[in-house]
Each structure stands twice: as structure tokens, then as C-alpha cells.
Amino acid sequence: MHLLVVEDEEKLGDYLRKGLVESGFNVELAREGPHGLALAQTGNYDAVVLDIMLPGMDGLKVLQELRKSSKVPVLMLTARDEVADRVRGLEGGADDYLAKPFAFTELLARVRALLRRSPMQEASRYALADLQLDLTTRRATRGGRRLDLTAKEFALLSLLLRRQGQVLSRAVLADQVWGMNFDSETNVVEVAVRRLRSKIDDSFEDKLLHTVRGMGYVLEHRAGDV
């Protein structure tokens, strides 16, 4: 599932993105109110984690503007556990509220609860040809055969499956799976794609994971491919 985190505290924002990615989500991070609002209005997110105290535009204003066009579930964060703050956030359209400091396990539980309640909830199973992936059981198979994937390989495959048919650049994969800016000097994406391909394609006649030279990678079934 695709989450947006809007948090200006650098360490906390990085910590949340890392933890959520490792929990199986695809995560984008914004550090300012206006940037967060722009992403939330244009991105197809399943939920938003939104801090109240933000530079440029505070979280309550971001929420107010977002609610003019979107019903995406929003979990508000604040350093102050004041009743007035909670009321303002909830009356402004927030779906839940969490005061800092908090345990990551609680934030994760609240995000998952929002997603379960949301009518926008994404499918938990994906398939392409004889490749199947179940997000609930974290099980991937091809041709009925269980695929032994690492956590990063599972996250990479789930992203490619959700956006099958779309060419995803190395920069997008680096950000969504590893939560890092793409560095042309590193080959972490290429190595991960190569290892994933060896598990989902090498033993099968029909190849599903393709390299698009100069652009990135795409997961799709190409009729007639051998």
C-alpha cells in the first residue's frame, strides 16, 4: 500500500519511512506543508501520516485544503497532547490522532486500522500470468511454486505488481523500496532486480520482468516472449 508521511523532523521522518517500508508499505516523505499538500492532492495514496507543526503551512491547514478534494485517511501527529489540538484535528477531517512521543508499533497499528476501515483499501492479492502475491500472508508463488524472497525482494515485487505495465525508473525503485535518493554510483537496484529476476523468471519459459534500456524496469506479460 502507498503511504505519504509529512514530517519535518528529519530523524523522525526518516525513521518512520524506514519502519513503514520494512513493514511492507511503499512510502513517500515530504518535509514541508506545501510539498505534502501537493503530493497528497496528486498522488494515489492509501493513507497520510501528517504532522501538525510543519514549515510553510501547518498540518491543520494542509488537512483543510486536502479535504476539499480527497477522503484519503489521515493520521495526525503532534508534539502536544492537548484536547483542543485533538478536537481541531478531528473536526477538521482527521481520522485518527497520535501524540508524540509514540511507539512505532502503535503508529503502525493505527495506520493498519485506518486502512481496514477505509473504502479505499487496496487489494491484498495481485497476479500476473501465473505469478501471484498475497500481501496478507506475505506469500509469493509462480506456477504454484513458493518463491523464497527476502523482505526487500518482496517489497520490490509488490511495487512492480501493483504498477504492472508501468516502467519504473531506478530512482523510483530506490525511493519506494529502500527509502533513499538514487545514487548513480550504487548498483543496489540493479543487484536487487537481478536477484528477483532469477527467482521469478529464470526457471520459467515466459519472462515477466523486463529491462527498458535507459528508463528502468517493467513487470508485464508479453505475448510471444520466450
Side-chain angles (χ1 to χ4, degrees):
M1 292 190 176
H2 200 186
L3 304 181
L4 172 63
V5 175
V6 189
E7 171 58 65
D8 66 316
E9 294 182 36
E10 185 173 352
K11 289 184 179 180
L12 179 57
D14 291 342
Y15 170 74
L16 291 178
R17 176 165 62 178
K18 181 176 184 294
L20 290 167
V21 166
E22 291 177 350
S23 299
F25 296 97
N26 291 303
V27 182
E28 289 190 54
L29 175 62
R31 302 190 189 275
E32 297 182 349
H35 184 211
L37 176 60
L39 289 176
Q41 289 175 326
T42 58
N44 184 26
Y45 299 102
D46 297 286
V48 176
V49 178
L50 176 64
D51 189 26
I52 285 185
M53 302 299 292
L54 294 169
M57 177 186 295
D58 68 47
L60 292 172
K61 181 63 174 177
V62 171
L63 179 63
Q64 178 184 351
E65 293 299 316
L66 180 60
R67 282 292 176 252
K68 294 178 180 179
S69 60
S70 174
K71 295 183 179 179
V72 61
V74 174
L75 171 62
M76 299 291 295
L77 303 178
T78 181
R80 297 174 299 181
D81 189 17
E82 297 290 340
V83 173
D85 288 337
R86 295 200 299 272
V87 170
R88 289 176 63 200
L90 294 171
E91 288 186 343
D95 297 273
D96 201 356
Y97 190 98
L98 190 58
K100 302 176 184 177
F102 53 81
F104 176 76
T105 52
E106 182 179 4
L107 179 136
L108 182 60
R110 288 174 180 264
V111 168
R112 286 174 170 165
L114 285 181
L115 293 171
R116 286 195 299 270
R117 298 199 301 263
S118 171
M120 299 174 63
Q121 183 174 191
E122 192 175 353
S124 62
R125 295 182 181 182
Y126 295 88
L128 176 64
D130 57 348
L131 174 65
Q132 297 187 347
L133 181 142
D134 190 319
L135 292 173
T136 303
T137 62
R138 298 190 67 80
R139 178 185 177 95
T141 63
R142 183 155 188 204
R145 184 191 310 173
R146 179 75 176 264
L147 301 175
D148 184 18
L149 303 179
T150 66
K152 290 299 185 188
E153 288 166 352
F154 189 90
L156 178 59
L157 179 58
S158 65
L159 174 60
L160 289 163
L161 266 172
R162 277 199 305 275
R163 299 174 64 176
Q164 58 186 270
Q166 299 179 35
V167 178
L168 302 181
S169 68
R170 292 168 178 80
V172 167
L173 296 179
D175 177 69
Q176 294 296 305
V177 178
W178 286 269
M180 67 179 193
N181 293 325
F182 179 68
D183 183 350
S184 60
E185 299 299 318
T186 182
N187 65 345
V188 63
V189 175
E190 288 84 351
V191 169
V193 169
R194 185 163 61 247
R195 289 177 177 170
L196 179 62
R197 180 180 279 133
S198 72
K199 295 180 180 181
I200 69 172
D201 273 348
D202 284 2
S203 300
F204 300 90
E205 183 177 0
D206 292 333
K207 310 305 178 186
L208 300 177
L209 182 50
H210 307 277
T211 300
V212 181
R213 191 177 299 275
M215 297 180 65
Y217 304 96
V218 60
L219 192 71
E220 64 181 1
H221 183 252
R222 297 177 176 178
D225 274 8
V226 176

